[in-house]
Amino acid sequence: MKTCLIVDDSRVIRKVARRILEDLRFQVEEAGDGLEALTACRKSMPDGILLDWNMPLMNGIEFLRALRKERGGDTPIVVFCTTENDVEHISEAIKAGANEYIMKPFDGDILQSKFVEAGLISYEAA
Amino acid sequence: MATAMADADFAFVAREVKARSGLVLTADKSYLLETRLAPIARKESLASVAELAAAARLRRDERLIWQMTDALTTNETHFFRDRKPFALLRDRIIPELQQARPAGRLRIWSAATSTGQEAFSLAMLLDDLRAGGRGVDAEIVATDLSERVLEKARAGLYTQFEVQRGLPVRTLIRHFEKVGEFWRIADRIRAMVRFQRFNLLDDLAPLGVFDVVVCRNVLSYFAPETRRQVLERIAAQMTDDGVLLLGATESTVGVSDAFVPEGGYYRRTLVREQTASAA
């Protein structure tokens, strides 16, 4: 079973994402900000990370840059999931090593489609 | 609450819609009638879909009949739908056809293109090949029965929701620009596609001859006999080595001998082979 870490400061979003990802047969962990997420990754690198941008303590882009410098931090597939929806933010995310990008609001179809693009779910399984 | 459509009205709608589009409406499709036609009934200030059907029949109202045909034949679509046909085009079909005609221009037809996602996916694919150093000289003709969906296609404007289904984010930022809350396809991509209103049941000859025909999720709405006729008329508008792509659940097998399956797509059967097998 693949693992996915949901990083979002909104408990509601984490709950919605968890339900969708568990339906897609992921084992889900949660973190409320970038620092918590980094601690979780140091313990165990997940296969995928669904990552919000604006969070307290450490935001999504800071977390991503820090993650990619960690030992084994190049392996998780990172999918941003944020209300930031302009080309500048998207480009910055890709430059920092994001694999895919979801603009909120999202639904199960979009999340699944993006996880397929990112290679976290095979197209046949989708 | 919806009141049931009178049998005579249903028969009338089914007959008129079929004559205009080939779409076969059976009694079990009443949910489709209800959901697709309710907005038209509301716009016409009619109390229900049943009243709309009755009005169309009693008045023989051509405008209403076309509106109903349009609403019933328009189907959901998204960018790079089903993926596989696009991978086949990129990796096999286009390189092969190109090799067979080194100096020639490929003509690609996106039939029943709907709101443009399929045609623009083809254009983006060609543009990416070009950027990768494999230039393809190609013309994309995209047709649909509905002027309404073509208007949307020509505008090339899509919602955030629409651009997140099927489009990798890198493809999005390479080929679209953000305009307010919408995403607009780049002029470079839009210029590669010619949109044209066209009915698949009409004479196809004016469209010319194609190397690739993409006609997905259309045939399944037709009666078997119409399916055969449309396939054979499409075959007549294709080069000898022309390739046809159908929807994931569709096939030419058992419908028409005009095509031979070749692993995910269909090749036009050579006319002399058809004659030989008929002899």
Side-chain angles (χ1 to χ4, degrees):
Chain A
M1 201 179 229
K2 282 190 176 167
T3 54
C4 186
L5 176 66
I6 301 170
V7 191
D8 201 303
D9 58 343
S10 155
R11 193 182 299 169
V12 176
I13 297 281
R14 292 204 302 269
K15 196 173 162 190
V16 170
R18 174 187 277 272
R19 191 170 303 158
I20 296 167
L21 288 172
E22 285 180 344
D23 280 348
L24 294 170
R25 309 185 57 82
F26 279 88
Q27 190 187 320
V28 173
E29 296 291 332
E30 297 181 21
D33 59 58
L35 268 185
E36 252 185 58
L38 205 55
T39 310
C41 288
R42 281 176 182 151
K43 217 179 287 168
S44 163
M45 282 295 169
D47 297 304
I49 300 174
L50 188 70
L51 182 62
D52 188 16
W53 194 299
N54 298 302
M55 292 177 293
L57 298 179
M58 183 190 271
N59 71 23
I61 198 83
E62 289 162 353
F63 161 77
L64 177 57
R65 291 195 183 111
L67 171 77
R68 293 306 192 208
K69 287 185 197 132
E70 292 284 317
R71 179 204 290 266
D74 54 339
T75 55
I77 292 175
V78 175
V79 179
F80 256 104
C81 184
T82 167
T83 51
E84 302 296 346
N85 61 3
D86 54 274
V87 174
E88 291 71 28
H89 276 89
I90 297 173
S91 303
E92 192 184 351
I94 291 173
K95 220 174 123 195
N99 301 79
E100 257 301 334
Y101 197 103
I102 295 170
M103 296 174 273
K104 288 176 182 168
F106 65 100
D107 63 7
D109 276 355
I110 288 176
L111 205 149
Q112 180 170 356
S113 163
K114 289 293 185 178
F115 269 46
V116 172
E117 302 301 345
L120 274 165
I121 307 174
S122 75
Y123 178 58
E124 285 70 29
Chain B
M1 187 52 217
T3 40
M5 202 182 280
D7 288 350
D9 294 335
F10 179 83
F12 173 78
V13 172
R15 187 180 72 235
E16 297 299 320
V17 167
K18 185 175 177 226
R20 281 162 182 75
S21 68
L23 176 75
V24 179
L25 283 169
T26 45
D28 61 319
K29 297 263 172 64
S30 56
Y31 70 94
L32 190 71
L33 287 170
E34 202 51 52
T35 55
R36 299 286 183 89
L37 302 186
I40 302 175
R42 270 199 300 278
K43 207 171 60 175
E44 298 291 324
S45 308
L46 295 163
S48 64
V49 168
E51 270 194 30
L52 172 69
R57 181 171 70 93
L58 296 173
R59 296 192 226 142
R60 301 271 149 180
D61 190 325
E62 193 63 19
R63 188 184 57 90
L64 277 188
I65 296 165
W66 266 112
Q67 280 188 43
M68 291 195 282
T69 307
D70 187 338
L72 288 164
T73 52
T74 301
N75 287 298
E76 197 212 24
T77 175
H78 49 88
F79 290 102
F80 295 100
R81 183 175 180 184
D82 298 336
R83 287 153 205 269
K84 194 179 158 204
F86 296 95
L88 281 170
L89 277 166
R90 184 190 60 221
D91 301 333
R92 192 183 310 167
I93 299 166
I94 288 174
E96 268 181 28
L97 290 174
Q98 225 184 340
Q99 204 171 20
R101 37 176 99 35
R105 157 176 265 212
L106 290 184
R107 292 194 79 233
I108 302 173
W109 177 20
S110 166
T113 196
S114 194
T115 41
Q117 283 92 331
E118 180 177 273
F120 288 139
S121 297
L122 293 166
M124 287 187 274
L125 185 149
L126 294 174
D127 194 68
D128 289 347
L129 284 175
R130 222 167 267 167
R134 286 162 59 195
V136 185
D137 185 17
E139 177 193 5
I140 302 168
V141 178
T143 67
D144 201 281
L145 177 67
S146 160
E147 191 56 53
R148 188 172 55 87
V149 297
L150 289 174
E151 261 172 46
K152 177 171 160 98
R154 287 192 189 103
L157 275 179
Y158 297 94
T159 64
Q160 183 168 295
F161 191 83
E162 287 169 319
V163 298
Q164 295 205 83
R165 295 181 65 200
L167 267 186
V169 75
R170 285 176 178 77
T171 310
L172 173 70
I173 59 171
R174 189 159 56 237
H175 296 301
F176 289 78
E177 57 177 346
K178 191 144 189 273
V179 182
E181 287 308 299
F182 291 88
W183 291 82
R184 184 167 58 203
I185 192 92
D187 291 341
R188 174 187 84 253
I189 301 297
R190 194 167 16 175
M192 292 167 71
V193 183
R194 184 158 56 83
F195 290 101
Q196 190 181 332
R197 184 175 181 277
F198 199 85
N199 191 336
L200 275 177
L201 304 184
D202 289 345
D203 177 19
L204 305 182
L207 292 175
V209 174
F210 294 96
D211 304 282
V212 177
V213 176
V214 185
C215 182
R216 302 191 302 152
N217 310 305
V218 185
L219 293 177
S220 28
Y221 294 95
F222 292 157
E225 179 56 18
T226 315
R227 249 174 250 171
R228 186 184 63 76
Q229 287 167 358
V230 170
L231 279 175
E232 280 165 15
R233 288 163 55 234
I234 288 175
Q237 297 307 122
M238 290 175 72
T239 53
D240 279 349
D241 56 353
V243 165
L244 169 72
L245 288 143
L246 296 177
T249 58
E250 297 170 326
S251 171
T252 64
V253 177
V255 183
S256 164
D257 301 332
F259 293 93
V260 208
E262 275 188 24
Y265 56 92
Y266 301 86
R267 185 84 67 175
R268 187 184 186 288
T269 312
L270 286 178
V271 177
R272 59 175 177 279
E273 282 175 15
Q274 275 180 308
T275 323
S277 62

